[in-house]
Amino acid sequence: MGELPDIWRTELWHPMVVHFPIVLLLGATILRLISYLFAKNKRTFLKNTSRLSLYTGVIMAWIAIYTGTLADAIVVHDLCDPTVLEAHEHAAFTLAYIFTLATLLDLISFIPWKTLALLNHHIKEWVVVIFLVAGSIYLGYTAHLGASLVYQQGAGVYEPTVGCTEFE
């Protein structure tokens, strides 16, 4: 009788972590976009919620990249087409950089320097929104590549023995 592998395998840390930045970053984008449909008091609440989601999502995205790098070293040997893994990795870095730039640009609002007052607030706000939308599009592409790795190539998936004797 075979033995089941441990659920805390290194290559499984990535899927446990990666769903948080997906939800947080997409949520940040949606909240920021719909905030413009409301009056000022509700808009402020939605923008602040979007900020919290964005900042937390960016931190989680970099943690997901770290855990993905750990998983990469383990699963790359079992893949039929490792170029998908490379594309997934490059796309993940790109979206993390895009959302990080959006975060840094958004944080400028909180710096009380008079020279920053010259920066047109509305232009900065729309640039942040453009980064959020671009990052979300890239996030969808990256998630598609990740799903392809798991569901088409079985990355990190345990295959039971014939007859599934290890479950007895």
Side-chain angles (χ1 to χ4, degrees), residues 24-33 35-36 40 42-59 99-100 102-111 121-122 124-126 128-129 132:
L24 290 166
L25 295 172
L26 290 176
T29 303
I30 292 167
L31 287 170
R32 187 65 65 105
L33 288 173
S35 72
Y36 297 106
K40 186 166 176 64
K42 286 188 181 184
R43 181 181 310 140
T44 302
F45 173 77
L46 289 172
K47 282 177 71 173
N48 287 336
T49 305
S50 171
R51 283 185 170 117
L52 178 62
S53 184
L54 174 63
Y55 303 164
T56 308
V58 165
I59 292 167
F99 280 110
T100 299
T103 299
L104 294 174
L105 191 56
D106 190 65
L107 284 170
I108 287 175
S109 302
F110 299 105
I111 300 173
H121 173 73
H122 297 296
K124 180 210 60 95
E125 184 63 30
W126 282 107
V128 169
V129 168
L132 292 177

Side-chain angles (χ1 to χ4, degrees), residues 87-102:
H88 177 64
E89 182 179 9
H90 291 299
F93 272 102
T94 301
L95 81 88
Y97 287 131
I98 291 170
F99 280 110
T100 299
L101 284 172

Side-chain angles (χ1 to χ4, degrees), residues 107-121:
L107 284 170
I108 287 175
S109 302
F110 299 105
I111 300 173
W113 298 340
K114 289 184 180 189
T115 55
L116 290 179
L118 299 175
L119 181 64
N120 187 326
H121 173 73

